[in-house]
């Protein structure tokens, strides 16, 4: 772990194993951090924020450190990608793409660091001067997931650092190795000790301690809605600021005038890429009844050709599930779907081919005949499982899409300009893709409606999630007319 600029084991001396999803075998050991380790990390971050070199650094110098870090990430992208693939089983082609894209966050927010401008207001108080300044929140606790560990951490880390905060990261116990390698680059870039710290371990031990710590001023969490509730309750005890990027049951609507070949590729990208292990997965496919059968046939035929295998191989289309508990959950939901009366048009089991039996694989699975009241249509599976529903009218498509406790993302395919303009307004989701799916950018705000979270990541708005607005009143006359009245 990295605490206050020092690499260390846990205070208890305990370790735990992390497993390779492709082989199902342990490949690394990590320190099992606890509340004592979290306290040390938070104290280090607090000291760095209040009195260390970072606290005295001007904004443009912070930005220069972030530019330097971006260069180092580009040079180490291959190694970081290899570690992530080994840790969470996602495809090398995707992880390498993410590692090569991550530097853009540090370049973007590094450029914003010295452009956080306050304002002098034309206050209604006579000769009094009033201005607004923005100041960093303080110590940020970042609790991050296993599906895209570095990318989703950077969504929090880059704006937090640009704003002048210090950070303690608690990565998922299922995928922490790449995070430790990543933090080595901060040292090389010249970040002062204690600015960024990482404590590895389990959620109920290290994660809970971070969410509850009195010196943590803000929690940024990505994970399940269940985890989000726990974090939110813990943070509420000391009135911490909180941002939550949670789950989704995102609708993917195919209108009758869609380019069907392009839409099939979009649906595959939305649910079967990354083996369905993305919060924005388009797991509810809502298809117009006039094209339902032909579209499902095209989709099934294409996915029959999908190759499961070693995520490091360029020929693999679908990799394994990242964790054993998630594998069990995915298989359980497949059984639930069958028991509810859904029809399994493809997949529905673990593969029995040689080379796949030891890994945590699930065949790409498609269920038709799904009703929106079924659990398979309402609860997040987080695996390569797609539910297909029918609709007749645009109003019915909107009603089905919005009939969910979630609201993270939505997609639609149509050649109608009218629909492209009107439908995004009607869909209750933080991101809507038209004739595309699973596109993100450091410039585009990302976050959810309803149970999909609180706050936004990315874009200019994200930096203000890590700042506090302060009002300053200056009375140049140094006189108060009546001290017993509100001035």
């Amino acid at each position: 772990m990295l605490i206050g600029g020092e690499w260390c084991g846990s205070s208890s001396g305990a370790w735990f194993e992390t497993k390779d999803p492709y082989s199902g075998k342990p490949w690394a050991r990590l320190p099992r951090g606890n509340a004592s380790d979290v306290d040390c990390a938070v104290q280090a971050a607090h000291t760095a924020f209040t009195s260390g070199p970072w606290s005295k650094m001007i904004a443009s110098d912070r930005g220069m450190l972030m530019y330097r870090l971006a260069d180092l990430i580009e040079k180490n992208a291959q190694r970081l990608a290899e570690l992530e693939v080994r840790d969470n089983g996602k495809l090398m082609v995707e992880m390498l793409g993410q590692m090569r894209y991550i530097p853009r966050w540090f370049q973007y927010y590094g450029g914003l660091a010295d452009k956080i401008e306050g304002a002098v207001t034309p206050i209604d108080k006579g000769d009094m001067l009033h201005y607004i300044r923005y100041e960093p929140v303080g110590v940020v606790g970042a609790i991050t997931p296993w599906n895209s560990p570095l990318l989703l951490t950077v969504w929090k880390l880059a704006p937090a650092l640009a704003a002048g905060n210090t950070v303690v990261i608690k990565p998922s116990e299922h995928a922490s190795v790449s995070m430790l390698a990543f933090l080595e680059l901060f040292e090389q870039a010249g970040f002062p000790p204690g600015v960024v710290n990482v404590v590895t371990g389990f959620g109920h031990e290290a994660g809970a301690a971070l969410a509850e710590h009195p010196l943590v001023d803000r929690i940024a969490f990505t994970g399940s809605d269940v985890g989000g509730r726990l974090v939110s309750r813990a943070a509420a005890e000391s009135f911490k600021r909180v941002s939550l990027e949670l789950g989704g049951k995102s609708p993917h609507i195919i209108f009758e005038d869609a380019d069907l070949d392009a839409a099939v590729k979009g649906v595959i990208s939305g649910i079967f890429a990354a083996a369905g292990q993305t919060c924005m997965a388009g797991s509810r496919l809502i298809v117009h009844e006039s094209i339902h059968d032909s579209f499902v046939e095209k989709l099934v035929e294409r996915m029959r050709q999908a190759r499961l295998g070693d995520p490091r191989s360029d020929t693999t289309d679908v990799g394994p599930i990242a964790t054993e508990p998630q594998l069990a959950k995915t298989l359980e939901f497949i059984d639930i779907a069958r028991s509810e009366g859904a029809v399994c048009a493809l997949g529905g089991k673990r593969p029995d081919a040689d080379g796949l039996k030891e890994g945590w694989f699930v065949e790409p699975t498609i269920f038709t005949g799904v009703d929106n009241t079924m659990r398979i249509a309402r609860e997040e599976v987080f695996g390569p499982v797609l539910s297909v529903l029918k609709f007749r009218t645009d109003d019915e498509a909107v009603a089905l899409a919005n009939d969910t406790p979630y609201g993270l993302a939505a997609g639609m395919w149509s050649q109608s300009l009218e629909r492209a303009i009107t439908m995004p307004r009607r869909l209750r989701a933080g991101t809507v893709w038209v004739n595309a799916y699973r596109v993100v950018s450091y410039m585009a705000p990302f976050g959810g409606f309803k149970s999909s979270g609180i706050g936004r990541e990315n874009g200019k708005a994200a930096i203000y999630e890590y700042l506090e607005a302060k009002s300053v009143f200056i009375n140049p006359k140094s006189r108060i007319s009546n001290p017993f009245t509100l001035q």
Side-chain angles (χ1 to χ4, degrees):
M1 304 187 294
L2 180 63
I3 298 177
E6 299 292 331
W7 292 98
C8 58
S10 66
S11 58
S12 68
W15 297 76
F16 67 98
E17 292 180 331
T18 184
K19 296 181 179 180
D20 182 336
Y22 176 59
S23 68
K25 297 177 181 178
W27 77 283
R29 291 197 314 148
L30 296 161
R32 183 168 179 166
N34 54 33
S36 175
D37 300 309
V38 168
D39 181 59
C40 289
V42 173
Q43 294 285 355
H46 181 70
T47 298
F49 178 74
T50 56
S51 59
W54 181 256
S55 67
K56 303 173 181 65
M57 192 175 292
I58 61 173
S60 56
D61 287 344
R62 291 200 305 269
M64 291 305 296
L65 284 179
M66 295 176 73
Y67 283 126
R68 197 178 304 160
L69 177 64
D71 292 340
L72 288 168
I73 296 169
E74 286 183 334
K75 292 175 182 176
N76 288 272
Q78 182 73 34
R79 174 174 179 251
L80 294 172
E82 289 171 355
L83 291 172
E84 289 228 329
V85 172
R86 191 78 183 271
D87 227 7
N88 70 2
K90 293 180 84 170
L91 299 185
M92 173 59 78
V93 64
E94 178 173 4
M95 291 296 97
L96 187 56
Q98 286 187 12
M99 295 310 113
R100 289 172 174 166
Y101 196 29
I102 280 174
R104 303 296 172 265
W105 267 263
F106 289 103
Q107 291 163 349
Y108 179 77
Y109 286 104
L112 282 179
D114 57 4
K115 297 170 185 66
I116 302 167
E117 299 176 348
V120 176
T121 58
I123 198 73
D124 61 339
K125 300 298 178 185
D127 294 331
M128 192 168 287
L129 170 67
H130 174 262
Y131 65 89
I132 303 166
R133 57 177 280 114
Y134 290 96
E135 299 179 355
V137 171
V139 177
V140 174
I143 302 175
T144 60
W146 44 260
N147 56 330
S148 287
L150 294 189
L151 180 67
L152 297 180
T153 298
V154 166
W155 288 13
K156 301 160 182 54
L157 192 56
L161 294 175
N165 300 280
T166 56
V167 183
V168 177
I169 303 167
K170 208 301 283 184
S172 168
E173 59 268 29
H174 298 294
S176 298
V177 177
S178 62
M179 190 70 66
L180 299 177
F182 184 55
L183 267 289
E184 293 174 0
L185 304 182
F186 284 77
E187 290 187 297
Q188 295 174 33
F191 281 81
V195 174
V196 184
N197 310 269
V198 61
V199 177
T200 55
F202 292 85
H204 67 282
E205 295 170 344
L210 185 60
E212 296 167 357
H213 200 288
L215 289 180
V216 173
D217 300 286
R218 193 179 196 288
I219 292 289
F221 173 85
T222 295
S224 69
D225 54 338
V226 174
R229 288 187 182 94
L230 293 173
V231 167
S232 189
R233 290 189 192 114
E237 287 297 317
S238 53
F239 302 103
K240 291 177 175 44
R241 281 82 174 128
V242 175
S243 62
L244 306 171
E245 197 269 276
L246 307 177
K249 197 67 183 175
S250 299
H252 206 158
I253 307 169
I254 315 298
F255 290 98
E256 72 279 5
D257 63 343
D259 179 331
L260 298 189
D261 290 333
V264 164
K265 293 178 182 178
V267 170
I268 291 171
S269 174
I271 184 61
F272 296 120
Q277 299 169 106
T278 64
C279 52
M280 63 188 81
S283 54
R284 285 189 303 144
L285 180 61
I286 302 173
V287 187
H288 192 272
E289 63 177 8
S290 66
I291 60 168
H292 174 276
D293 293 350
S294 60
F295 189 83
V296 171
E297 183 180 347
K298 281 178 177 285
L299 181 60
V300 168
E301 180 58 32
R302 174 63 184 85
M303 286 311 300
R304 283 193 198 280
Q305 302 168 25
R307 294 159 296 193
L308 281 68
D310 187 342
R312 302 166 189 81
S313 172
D314 292 340
T315 62
T316 298
D317 297 313
V318 181
I321 302 295
T323 76
E324 286 182 282
Q326 192 58 40
L327 172 66
K329 178 185 175 183
T330 302
L331 294 172
E332 180 185 7
F333 264 102
I334 288 173
D335 290 341
I336 289 170
R338 288 194 173 104
S339 70
E340 290 180 321
V343 178
C344 188
L346 180 71
K349 64 183 190 304
R350 297 187 68 175
D352 55 8
D354 290 340
L356 302 178
K357 295 178 183 178
E358 299 301 320
W360 302 332
F361 287 90
V362 174
E363 292 179 347
T365 299
I366 299 174
F367 282 104
T368 59
V370 176
D371 182 275
N372 208 43
T373 61
M374 294 178 177
R375 287 183 65 187
I376 196 68
R378 302 201 70 77
E379 298 179 37
E380 187 177 39
V381 178
F382 222 69
V385 180
L386 178 66
S387 300
V388 186
L389 301 91
K390 291 182 183 179
F391 75 92
R392 283 192 291 268
T393 67
D394 287 17
D395 287 345
E396 185 181 359
V398 171
L400 283 171
N402 290 340
D403 182 16
T404 172
Y406 298 104
L408 188 61
M412 57 161 284
W413 294 78
S414 173
Q415 298 186 62
S416 164
L417 179 60
E418 180 181 1
R419 278 184 179 138
I421 293 172
T422 60
M423 292 298 290
R425 292 202 300 263
R426 302 179 67 189
L427 295 172
R428 295 279 295 162
T431 297
V432 179
W433 295 286
V434 179
N435 296 332
Y437 205 90
R438 216 167 152 245
V439 180
V440 297
S441 169
Y442 50 88
M443 297 182 183
F446 185 84
F449 290 14
K450 299 185 280 187
S451 294
S452 286
I454 299 170
R456 290 295 182 269
E457 298 184 306
N458 303 332
K460 289 182 180 179
I463 202 167
Y464 290 95
E465 298 271 352
Y466 297 92
L467 292 165
E468 297 275 26
K470 176 182 284 185
S471 278
V472 179
F473 291 86
I474 298 177
N475 181 3
K477 297 179 179 179
S478 302
R479 294 194 302 271
I480 296 177
S481 56
N482 186 345
F484 297 102
T485 63
L486 185 67
Q487 300 300 305

